[in-house]
Amino acid sequence: MIEIKRDLYLNKLIEKQDNGMVKIITGIKGCGKSYLLFELFRKHLLASGVNNEHIIALSLDDDENKQYRNPSNLSKYLKARITNDEDKFYILLDEAQLAITEEEYKGKGIIKLYGILNGLLRHGNVDVYITGSNSKFLSSDILTEFRGRGDEIRVYPLSFAEFMSVYSGDSYTGYRDYSLYGGLPYVTKVKAPEEKIKYLSNLFINTYLKDIIDRHNLKGDLVMDTLVDILSSNTASLTNPTKLANSFVSHSIKTNANTISTYIDYLIDAFIISKTQRYDIKGKKYIGSPFKYYFADIGLRNARLNFRQIEPTHAMENILYNELVIRGFNVDVGVVEKYTKNSKGQNTTALLEVDFVCNKGSQRYYVQSAYSIPDAKKMAQEQESLDRIDDSFKKVIVVQDNVAPWHTERGYLIINILDFLLNQNSLEL
C-alpha cells in the first residue's frame, strides 16, 4: 500500500511534541487522523529513538479494546503502562470520545476524560496525543473543557497535492476525479466509481448526520436533512438563515431563521461545513449576513446531491477555499463599493465581490476564482473588484484555463488551478 504523506500535520505534531499539553487531533471521520497518529507519528517516534515499549498506542474503536471505553479501566491501564518516572512515555489514544458513554456525556463525562489525561500529564514524563471525531468530541467541547491544557490540531481531507501524490494518472484527470469524489483518503484506494459513491453517501448519512442527530436529539426532525440538501445545492452562494428558512416552503416544512441558524452551527461544529463572512475591504469591517458556506470535502457535497448539480465553477471555488484554509489562512469574502450614476443622473452604490480575502499574520492576499477568462470583457469583469482595492497586497486570479502563470499590466497574477494547488508557494509567484 502506498503511504500518503501528511507532512503538514506530521510536522505540527513534531513541533508540539513534549509541550506539556494534550495534543487533540480533530476532523471529520475518515480524514486520516488515525493514520497520522498511529502510522506516521509513531514511525517518527521510533525513528527518533523512542523505545517501542514507551509508546502506548490504544485504539478505542477496536472491539478488542472495548473494556477500556470505561474511563476507570482506561485510567488504570494507562497508569500501569507507565513503568517508571525517568523515561519518556508517549500515549497515542485513538477515538478518545468512546471513553464517554451517553449517560456520562449528559453529565459532562468529557470532564472525566479530561481529568484522566490531565492527571497523566502531571507525571512530567508523559506526552499525550488523542484523536476524536464524533458528536461527543467536537471543537466546542475541546475549547471549553481542555482550555489551557489542550492543543488542537485540525486535520482536513487530502489537499489536491496530497491526493496527486498517490494518484496514478495525470493532474488533469486527477483534478476531474478530485473535484467529483473529493479527498477523503479511502476514496484514493477504491477504483470503481460506484464504490466511491456508495462510501461517500453512507458516510454522510450513517456517520456525520447520525452523530449530529444523536447529539442534539433531532430524531424525526426533517429540518436538518433538508437543510443539508439546500446547502449542498447552494455551495459558494451568498445566503442567510432567513433566506434558507423561506426556501423550506417548497418542501412543505415549517421552520424559522433561528432554528436554521442553530442547525448550521451544528454542521460547522461537526466539521462538515465552514462559514465565511463578508468583509468590507475599504471600510475595514465585517458586514452582517449574507454568508457563504463551503463543504469540508467536495466529494461529500456531491454525494449528498447524488452527483447531480456538479457545477464546475462552484466545485472549483469550494476546492480553492479548502486549500487556502489548509494553508493556514483565515478566509473571508471581500466586498468593495462601486459608485455609478443611474439613468436619472443620481449616484448609486453597488457592492463588488472579491471571492477570498486571505489573512495570515501580516500577510494578506486577494484571490478570485474565475474559472475561465476567454476574452478581454471577462478579464475586465474579473479585475473590476480588484481594481478598486487601493492597498499593495498581492492580487491573484485563479482560472481553469490551461495557461502558464503570468502577470497582467496591473500586476495581478493569473494562474491555472492545477499550478495553484500543486505549488505550495503559488501565491508568491
Side-chain angles (χ1 to χ4, degrees):
M1 184 177 69
I2 301 175
E3 181 177 276
I4 302 176
K5 294 186 180 297
R6 310 299 305 269
D7 289 346
L8 173 65
Y9 308 108
L10 177 59
N11 290 335
K12 286 182 179 181
L13 285 178
I14 294 171
E15 289 169 6
K16 297 173 185 294
Q17 188 174 333
D18 301 325
N19 69 355
M21 303 178 77
V22 178
K23 271 66 70 175
I24 307 163
I25 305 168
T26 62
I28 58 175
K29 191 171 184 64
C31 70
K33 301 181 301 299
S34 302
Y35 179 77
L36 170 67
L37 186 60
F38 275 38
E39 294 295 327
L40 301 181
F41 186 64
R42 189 171 182 276
K43 284 182 179 179
H44 158 74
L45 291 176
L46 292 171
S48 62
V50 176
N51 188 316
N52 186 52
E53 295 298 315
H54 296 162
I55 301 174
I56 307 169
L58 186 66
S59 180
L60 292 182
D61 66 347
D62 189 330
D63 281 344
E64 292 183 1
N65 299 323
K66 62 182 179 181
Q67 61 181 312
Y68 302 119
R69 296 172 192 169
N70 178 291
S72 297
N73 291 343
L74 176 64
S75 180
K76 291 176 184 177
Y77 171 78
L78 295 176
K79 289 178 180 178
R81 290 290 307 273
I82 302 169
T83 55
N84 63 66
D85 295 328
E86 291 77 34
D87 296 315
K88 194 75 177 185
F89 289 82
Y90 294 87
I91 295 176
L92 313 183
L93 185 61
D94 193 28
E95 301 295 353
Q97 78 281 347
L98 292 176
I100 307 168
T101 67
E102 282 298 325
E103 291 73 21
E104 288 171 332
Y105 181 78
K106 293 172 184 176
K108 288 293 183 180
I110 196 169
I111 297 176
K112 183 182 290 187
L113 176 63
Y114 167 75
I116 293 171
L117 301 176
N118 194 39
L120 292 169
L121 290 178
R122 293 196 185 99
H123 284 258
N125 66 326
V126 177
D127 199 19
V128 181
Y129 302 78
I130 65 176
T131 76
S133 58
N134 82 353
S135 62
K136 303 195 195 85
F137 209 73
L138 306 179
S139 280
S140 60
D141 300 325
I142 294 160
L143 295 175
T144 301
E145 306 301 346
F146 285 81
R147 56 185 178 274
R149 296 306 299 270
D151 201 344
E152 184 179 6
I153 298 97
R154 172 76 181 276
V155 177
Y156 297 88
L158 301 177
S159 68
F160 182 60
E162 290 173 326
F163 175 86
M164 286 306 301
S165 71
V166 294
Y167 187 78
S168 59
D170 62 77
S171 57
Y172 295 97
T173 307
Y175 180 77
R176 183 198 64 192
D177 286 351
Y178 184 78
S179 62
L180 190 61
Y181 303 115
L184 291 177
Y186 182 77
V187 170
T188 67
K189 303 174 185 178
V190 182
K191 300 299 182 183
E194 57 271 18
E195 289 300 314
K196 297 177 191 285
I197 293 170
K198 180 180 177 181
Y199 168 73
L200 292 168
S201 299
N202 287 341
L203 191 64
F204 207 127
I205 296 170
N206 297 323
T207 299
Y208 302 150
L209 283 186
K210 184 178 184 299
D211 281 345
I212 293 174
I213 289 167
D214 289 348
R215 176 184 174 99
H216 301 288
N217 195 27
L218 303 180
K219 290 181 177 64
D221 187 338
L222 297 177
V223 175
M224 176 59 79
D225 201 55
T226 306
L227 174 62
V228 171
D229 289 338
I230 294 172
L231 289 174
S232 300
S233 297
N234 290 277
T235 304
S237 299
L238 287 169
T239 189
N240 59 42
T242 300
K243 184 177 179 181
L244 289 168
N246 291 338
S247 67
F248 274 69
V249 174
S250 62
H251 297 272
S252 300
I253 299 173
K254 291 185 178 180
T255 188
N256 57 62
N258 288 337
T259 298
I260 295 300
S261 181
T262 299
Y263 284 20
I264 286 173
D265 287 341
Y266 294 163
L267 291 166
I268 293 171
D269 208 23
F271 315 119
I272 296 171
I273 64 171
S274 296
K275 178 175 76 174
T276 56
Q277 290 184 267
R278 291 196 302 168
Y279 180 75
D280 180 351
I281 295 171
K282 286 194 173 183
K284 298 181 179 179
K285 61 182 180 181
Y286 284 100
I287 303 172
S289 129
F291 312 103
K292 282 190 177 185
Y293 299 96
Y294 296 98
F295 278 75
D297 181 77
I298 193 64
L300 290 171
R301 178 262 184 186
N302 293 339
R304 185 63 190 183
L305 295 173
N306 293 318
F307 292 86
R308 298 188 295 267
Q309 297 178 254
I310 312 297
E311 306 91 341
T313 53
H314 290 172
M316 175 176 159
E317 187 172 331
N318 201 135
I319 289 168
L320 266 178
Y321 171 82
N322 288 339
E323 177 68 22
L324 292 166
V325 171
I326 289 170
R327 293 187 188 186
F329 289 100
N330 294 314
V331 183
D332 301 310
V333 177
V335 294
V336 290
E337 292 182 331
K338 175 185 178 181
Y339 303 100
T340 58
K341 290 184 181 296
N342 60 22
S343 58
K344 297 180 181 180
Q346 299 169 321
N347 291 328
T348 61
T349 303
L351 293 179
L352 300 178
E353 185 175 299
V354 179
D355 288 325
F356 303 121
V357 180
C358 314
N359 294 291
K360 186 198 302 183
S362 61
Q363 295 177 295
R364 172 176 287 186
Y365 300 89
Y366 301 108
V367 178
Q368 289 283 64
S369 178
Y371 189 69
S372 181
I373 304 182
D375 50 40
K377 181 179 179 181
K378 179 64 174 176
M379 176 64 81
Q381 178 184 330
E382 294 296 340
Q383 291 186 120
E384 187 176 12
S385 59
L386 300 177
D387 290 343
R388 296 176 185 277
I389 303 173
D390 55 10
D391 61 40
S392 59
F393 292 111
K394 191 162 187 175
K395 301 168 180 67
V396 180
I397 301 175
V398 183
V399 299
Q400 200 160 312
D401 299 328
N402 186 15
V403 296
W406 63 283
H407 290 83
T408 68
E409 293 180 355
R410 296 180 175 90
Y412 307 159
L413 172 65
I414 312 297
I415 184 170
N416 169 265
I417 181 68
L418 301 183
D419 292 326
F420 184 89
L421 296 174
L422 292 173
N423 182 353
Q424 294 301 298
N425 298 312
S426 54
L427 287 168
E428 302 302 327
L429 293 176

